[in-house]
Amino acid sequence: MFRPLLISCLLISFGGIAWSHPEELEVFFQFFFKVYKNGTIEKLDGSGHDVPASLDSDTGVQSKDIVISPETNVSARLYATKDAASSKGGVPLLVYFHGGGFSTGTAAYYAFHRFVNSVVAKGKVVAVSVSYRLAPEHCLPIGYDDSWAAVKWVASHAGGGGNEPWLKERVDFNRVYFLGESAGANIAHNMAMRFGSEKLDGVELKGIVLIHPYFLLKEPTASLLAVNEEMRSNITKLWSYVCPSSTGSSDPRVNPVADPDLGKLGCKRVLVCLAERDPLVDAGKEYAEALRGRGGKDVEIFVSIGKTHVFHLREQDSKEASDLIDRVVSFLNF
């Protein structure tokens, strides 16, 4: 079901407002949400696809929901296996940022929930899956700020602080990782950059995992030019709608290759997971090479042959999705 919303951040681009019914208006942009020429949008309400936190009988992973900030409604879903509580010295901590074009999804969305549940089950880690506020109701950098607030909340438990027992009693804060796919991978990168400049006491960021990251370059790559014009336009224009104050594809938040401070990424190890048929695959490769060349980072690339963008969320029972999760788990347990 679609619900019409008037989004104030889009008014930067669209000026005056006409209160016509959306179906009577001309669609200006459609990708994750519809934008009409008068500045009104329609956004898909995906709440019907959310699943509750629970004990997963197949994997033994327990999940629960917590509120990080009542003022901003930033929340998270925590995941742990029973044996994590008895692991001497604690287990690695994974902070996960979901994808969805910065504009859809929550930690409760079934595909994200199932994916994180699988990683926790195989990797024997504790995970914090962040629900940040979404564009275009809340344009970037709000999503980044919410995600950083979640990272700081996690860090507050290092050294026995904080009030969440799953973090206080089960986690080794010298083995913290960030993970995300698509827009979530973009967020994970930006959180690692922020970690590099704003160190958090008692926390060591060991690495980040970026799955099919949403990065743009100043000029379209061969993989982006290979898709039809409408899809190519949607991919590139999305950034201007979710972050209307941005300078565009030269913005280092979406084009890290153009960032002169890329080498200040707050960890040494990076796993970049790419899909061979993803329009963004070339941008992901250039990011990896830039990190190696300018940052001196230990960068690994894993490519899923014949697969497209975020296939692992749609095809979670496939061999390729299982292989991807296995590669992620191996990186986390290095």
Side-chain angles (χ1 to χ4, degrees):
M1 170 178 144
F2 285 95
R3 52 189 175 91
L5 294 173
L6 183 64
I7 305 305
S8 59
C9 64
L10 293 180
L11 303 188
I12 296 171
S13 303
F14 293 109
I17 300 302
W19 289 94
S20 304
H21 291 293
E23 61 269 18
E24 298 173 356
L25 304 174
E26 184 178 354
V27 175
F28 190 84
F29 174 82
Q30 181 171 340
F31 194 51
F32 292 102
F33 47 86
K34 289 183 181 180
V35 180
Y36 296 90
K37 284 195 172 180
N38 72 345
T40 304
I41 75 164
E42 283 184 304
K43 189 170 180 180
L44 180 64
D45 182 356
S47 59
H49 299 290
D50 288 352
V51 295
S54 63
L55 173 62
D56 189 297
S57 59
D58 293 331
T59 63
V61 174
Q62 176 73 57
S63 57
K64 66 178 179 179
D65 295 326
I66 58 97
V67 175
I68 292 174
S69 171
E71 295 77 18
T72 60
N73 202 33
V74 176
S75 62
R77 178 164 289 183
L78 276 59
Y79 298 79
T81 57
K82 289 182 178 180
D83 55 3
S86 59
S87 298
K88 186 176 181 180
V91 300
L93 174 65
L94 178 66
V95 184
Y96 170 75
F97 307 98
H98 68 77
F102 305 98
S103 58
T104 61
T106 69
Y109 184 67
Y110 77 98
F112 304 142
H113 173 81
R114 186 180 176 196
F115 172 67
V116 178
N117 190 88
S118 297
V119 173
V120 170
K122 286 190 174 184
K124 307 301 182 185
V125 300
V126 169
V128 176
S129 178
V130 180
S131 289
Y132 49 89
R133 285 176 288 177
L134 302 171
E137 298 96 322
H138 303 283
C139 294
L140 294 173
I142 289 176
Y144 293 140
D145 292 340
D146 287 350
S147 297
W148 185 245
V151 170
K152 289 199 297 182
W153 175 82
V154 166
S156 71
H157 294 80
N163 56 10
E164 174 47 58
W166 285 17
L167 299 183
K168 292 172 58 129
E169 300 168 5
R170 305 184 185 192
V171 166
D172 178 359
F173 284 93
N174 290 313
R175 292 188 289 166
V176 175
Y177 295 85
F178 296 162
L179 168 96
E181 77 280 301
S182 194
N186 176 292
I187 293 174
H189 162 79
N190 280 284
M191 294 306 97
M193 291 298 298
R194 196 158 177 175
F195 188 90
S197 60
E198 302 179 36
K199 296 291 186 183
L200 299 175
D201 291 341
V203 176
E204 182 178 354
L205 182 62
K206 295 291 287 186
I208 59 173
V209 180
L210 309 185
I211 300 177
H212 314 161
Y214 178 77
F215 293 145
L216 301 176
L217 300 175
K218 290 183 178 179
E219 298 296 332
T221 63
S223 63
L224 188 57
L225 290 170
V227 299
N228 64 64
E229 184 177 353
E230 180 182 6
M231 177 57 70
R232 183 165 64 249
S233 176
N234 285 341
I235 291 170
T236 55
K237 285 183 178 179
L238 174 66
W239 175 250
S240 65
Y241 286 108
V242 299
C243 191
S245 62
S246 171
T247 56
S249 60
S250 62
D251 189 327
R253 293 172 296 182
V254 75
N255 182 0
V257 173
D259 188 351
D261 293 325
L262 182 60
K264 296 179 181 178
L265 189 82
C267 62
K268 292 292 186 183
R269 299 177 61 232
V270 180
L271 173 61
V272 183
C273 299
L274 304 173
E276 183 186 30
R277 296 174 58 193
D278 185 354
L280 297 174
V281 63
D282 288 346
K285 290 177 180 177
E286 291 207 25
Y287 167 80
E289 291 306 316
L291 267 181
R292 285 172 175 161
R294 287 186 272 137
K297 305 297 183 182
D298 179 6
V299 183
E300 305 171 40
I301 296 178
F302 176 84
V303 181
S304 298
I305 303 300
K307 292 300 179 180
T308 58
H309 194 68
V310 298
F311 77 91
H312 62 291
L313 298 177
R314 301 184 301 271
E315 307 170 21
Q316 294 200 28
D317 293 323
S318 67
K319 179 184 182 301
E320 292 82 1
S322 180
D323 290 344
L324 173 60
I325 291 175
D326 287 344
R327 187 65 193 86
V328 171
V329 165
S330 175
F331 183 84
L332 299 179
N333 287 299
F334 175 77

